[in-house]
Amino acid sequence: MNHLFTPFAWKGLELKNRVVMPPMCQYSVTEKDGIANDWHFTHYVSRAVGGAGLIIIEMTDVEPDGRITDFDLGLWSDDQIPALAKIVDACHQHGAKVAIQIAHAGRKAEDADVPVAPSAIPFSDKYKTPRALDTTEVQGMVEKFRATARRAIEAGVDAIELHGAHGYLIHQFHSPLTNQRTDQYGKDLTLFGTEVVRAVKSEMPDDMLLIMRISAMEYVEGGYGLKESVAFSKKYQEAGVDMFHVSSGGEGSTVNSPMGGPGSHAGYQVPLARGIKQELNVPVIAVGRLDNPVLANSLIGNEDADLVAVGRGMLQNPYWALEAALTLGQKSDFPKQYWASFTKLAKE
């Protein structure tokens, strides 16, 4: 039976364990140029030292107006490659593999003068009303994802994740709540996403893993559920997605739902991950209040998920994975510089 510290391999990605640091925006690009700085280097490399098998770099945007805020990472310019490459190289030295999440915030781009979206529908009255992209602009947006993927590969990443969740641009296109277009991108809600997938895959080595993060359920009146997300995920799988990172929500205010709503209890999104895994026969990453090592380990043993993303736990503790290994009685590669501390914890 597999467990949290069983190695994992899929296509060309080989991980020493199944612990994932999910993408979490740091809003720390102080120069507003999209270039990673010392904060990002310390943030990611410390989690590599701390034993994570896979580190997914935070939402990194395909154009300046695609950022949630002007303090976000970007990869729309070759000038942004070297700082990311430095992070990737350092994480590799400590045994972690690195993916990067590439994205566009769409109507949730807070600092854009005029955000863009599939349709001119604001996220809420606190957000700007976006401008609907015309058909040619949508096609141009696909090319921006392609170019960003090329730069990510040049930076040395081991995998790429597309952000199709949490109410950002790809999600906005495949949700009937936010896509009310009359052109081909409205008639087929997955067309934009599938074109992005194919464009990005065309830049990737054949054995490189493409992950997509999805919101498998929308917690809004009239929003889609697991049945619909299985259907659109199949389209993305056929286009080239190798693994799904299963989250939920992001399109509006929370309402009562069968899942209890975002953040209501530990593991509340696990049934969604399990549903995608079983229906598509595809590896999945589970995420959402999975900070308890025993719970995280059970998801692997029960085959609910193939990898487990630990967000808040890793923000609080860079060495979460090392301590989880001790808790579970599993072997891990403790840094020799910290060995005395961890052997003391093991004896206690």
Side-chain angles (χ1 to χ4, degrees), residues 45 57 83-93 96 98 152 155-158:
V45 178
I57 293 174
L84 285 172
K86 181 181 177 182
I87 292 171
V88 173
D89 289 345
C91 288
H92 284 165
Q93 291 173 27
V98 182
V157 299
D158 303 289

Side-chain angles (χ1 to χ4, degrees), residues 63-284:
E63 67 171 5
D65 282 348
R67 293 174 289 182
I68 301 171
T69 77
D70 286 348
F71 299 98
D72 293 357
L73 290 179
L75 200 46
W76 60 80
S77 167
D78 289 355
D79 294 339
Q80 295 157 334
I81 295 173
L84 285 172
K86 181 181 177 182
I87 292 171
V88 173
D89 289 345
C91 288
H92 284 165
Q93 291 173 27
H94 297 288
K97 297 298 175 67
V98 182
I100 189 169
Q101 184 187 78
I102 61 175
H104 191 292
R107 69 177 186 166
K108 295 176 84 172
E110 298 174 16
D111 289 339
D113 290 338
V114 181
V116 297
S119 302
I121 305 170
F123 178 65
S124 74
D125 57 9
K126 296 180 181 179
Y127 282 72
K128 300 168 185 173
T129 298
R131 176 182 64 80
L133 293 160
D134 66 33
T135 302
T136 301
E137 288 175 319
V138 176
Q139 294 164 346
M141 193 67 72
V142 172
E143 293 307 309
K144 291 178 182 179
F145 274 88
R146 184 200 303 272
T148 297
R150 176 188 58 77
R151 296 185 185 102
I153 293 164
E154 189 172 336
V157 299
D158 303 289
I160 291 175
E161 177 173 284
L162 295 174
H163 201 345
H166 301 164
Y168 299 119
L169 190 63
I170 294 175
H171 183 173
Q172 290 166 28
F173 268 92
H174 67 227
S175 173
L177 294 173
T178 45
N179 185 345
Q180 298 180 8
R181 302 174 66 91
T182 57
D183 66 356
Q184 62 263 42
Y185 293 100
K187 294 174 183 176
D188 178 356
L189 300 187
T190 62
L191 180 58
F192 175 69
T194 55
E195 288 185 347
V196 169
V197 169
R198 293 189 184 109
V200 168
K201 289 286 280 193
S202 73
E203 297 290 335
M204 297 170 63
D206 290 341
D207 65 346
M208 181 179 280
L209 205 69
L210 179 61
I211 308 166
M212 180 179 276
R213 198 174 210 191
I214 62 165
S215 285
M217 178 174 287
E218 291 184 314
Y219 300 102
V220 290
E221 200 69 45
Y224 64 72
L226 183 59
K227 178 181 177 181
E228 291 79 12
S229 60
V230 164
F232 68 65
S233 295
K234 285 182 178 178
K235 293 284 191 70
Y236 295 144
Q237 183 185 29
E238 291 167 1
V241 172
D242 301 296
M243 175 184 286
F244 289 91
H245 189 171
V246 186
S247 187
S248 64
E251 267 309 290
S253 301
T254 302
V255 296
N256 293 329
S257 73
M259 300 299 296
S264 60
H265 57 83
Y268 71 100
Q269 294 176 151
V270 171
L272 300 172
R274 182 172 58 242
I276 296 293
K277 177 178 173 64
Q278 292 175 345
E279 290 291 333
L280 276 66
N281 190 28
V282 65
V284 300

Side-chain angles (χ1 to χ4, degrees), residues 3 16 56 72 81 107 129 139 236 285 298 337 347:
H3 55 75
K16 64 181 180 180
I56 307 179
D72 293 357
I81 295 173
R107 69 177 186 166
T129 298
Q139 294 164 346
Y236 295 144
I285 305 172
S298 73
Q337 296 89 342
K347 291 177 181 178

